[in-house]
Amino acid sequence: SQKIEQNSEALNIQEGKTATLTCNYTNYSPAYLQWYRQDPGRGPVFLLLIRENEKEKRKERLKVTFDTTLKQSLFHITASQPADSATYLCALYSGTYKYIFGTGTRLKVLA
Amino acid sequence: GAGVSQSPSNKVTEKGKDVELRCDPISGHTALYWYRQRLGQGLEFLIYFQGNSAPDKSGLPSDRFSAERTGESVSTLTIQRTQQEDSAVYLCASSFQSSTDTQYFGPGTRLTVL
């Protein structure tokens, strides 16, 4: 069955460093992949979408890569700030207008 | 403009009761999704509405769950004979039209079944 894995352990990094979060998937060939940010008690907020024929996508301090051979997406936040602390979810398009979401990785940026 | 709104924000009910959760999507958005998020878990797809097409109900966990949408506006998710395992945050999202369009999420309804 289709499976998405995100590191369930929280990631703690020092302010100013680059945070890298991983999304791995199996039994799957998604055409699109999205990353969302979720703060406690709130719904997810869309950050970036990357297509299967795109290797990399950037938006301000965010960068997403999509390696369809490794079946992996990496999400980078450069020059991280305490305000970047949140849970980050990856979501893969499973066809028929549905996305399958990972469980998310909690990021904490330490001042 | 207003984002996606959901009501109530919190709902506490007794096991066996029925509950109704409401979602008001962004005006003009033809696609509407319901998800369930259990504590510490990812989002679990429940149902998808697109315009006037038949909804995709493939994610509904049991026949106690049902949802309706009036045209391209309000949607209600109904859970009958609630069980404790139904306790979760129920999230609604809407998008403009297609699979690659951004999903805008509401704040969710936190359901607690005692």
Side-chain angles (χ1 to χ4, degrees):
Chain A
S1 62
Q2 298 167 334
K3 197 173 177 183
I4 302 173
E5 286 184 355
Q6 291 188 258
N7 193 342
S8 58
E9 302 266 336
L11 177 64
N12 293 336
I13 64 164
Q14 209 61 41
E15 182 177 9
K17 300 290 186 184
T18 296
T20 298
L21 284 68
T22 305
C23 177
N24 294 303
Y25 57 93
T26 56
N27 299 327
Y28 219 168
S29 295
Y32 320 107
L33 186 152
Q34 298 183 350
W35 281 89
Y36 286 79
R37 169 184 173 140
Q38 186 173 24
D39 291 283
R42 295 178 174 263
V45 174
F46 171 80
L47 296 174
L48 282 166
L49 177 145
I50 188 166
R51 300 169 191 267
E52 62 179 341
N53 60 352
E54 296 175 317
K55 296 290 184 193
E56 182 180 296
K57 202 82 170 276
R58 291 176 186 259
K59 179 182 174 183
E60 297 172 354
R61 295 184 295 110
L62 308 180
K63 184 177 88 171
V64 171
T65 62
F66 193 7
D67 189 326
T68 55
T69 301
L70 289 178
K71 294 189 180 295
Q72 180 182 78
S73 175
L74 298 179
F75 176 79
H76 306 272
I77 306 175
T78 57
S80 59
Q81 304 165 1
D84 295 326
S85 298
T87 295
Y88 291 86
L89 303 164
C90 70
L92 277 67
Y93 184 64
S94 67
T96 57
Y97 307 106
K98 292 199 291 278
Y99 278 83
I100 297 179
F101 283 78
T103 55
T105 298
R106 195 167 72 249
L107 172 68
K108 188 168 183 180
V109 181
L110 305 169
Chain B
V4 177
S5 60
Q6 292 186 245
S7 61
S9 54
N10 279 286
K11 176 72 177 179
V12 180
T13 190
E14 291 180 349
K15 178 181 170 182
K17 301 281 190 185
D18 297 352
V19 295
E20 195 171 274
L21 313 180
R22 177 187 168 110
C23 172
D24 283 88
I26 293 172
S27 177
H29 280 191
T30 60
L32 187 146
Y33 301 78
W34 281 99
Y35 295 90
R36 177 169 70 180
Q37 187 172 33
R38 292 194 165 114
L39 189 64
Q41 301 295 310
L43 276 66
E44 178 187 357
F45 167 81
L46 297 178
I47 188 168
Y48 163 71
F49 294 91
Q50 172 63 52
N52 293 320
S53 302
D56 179 345
K57 304 179 183 180
S58 61
L60 295 178
S62 78
D63 59 8
R64 296 187 296 104
F65 288 72
S66 63
E68 292 184 351
R69 186 180 186 194
T70 309
E72 293 183 356
S73 61
V74 171
S75 175
T76 55
L77 176 69
T78 302
I79 308 173
Q80 295 178 310
R81 304 181 303 281
T82 51
Q83 304 293 313
Q84 287 184 331
E85 63 262 27
D86 299 334
S87 296
V89 175
Y90 290 82
L91 289 158
C92 172
S94 70
S95 69
F96 180 59
Q97 199 162 11
S98 77
S99 53
T100 57
D101 285 310
T102 300
Q103 291 186 46
Y104 293 86
F105 283 82
T109 293
R110 180 175 298 279
L111 174 66
T112 303
V113 182
L114 301 175

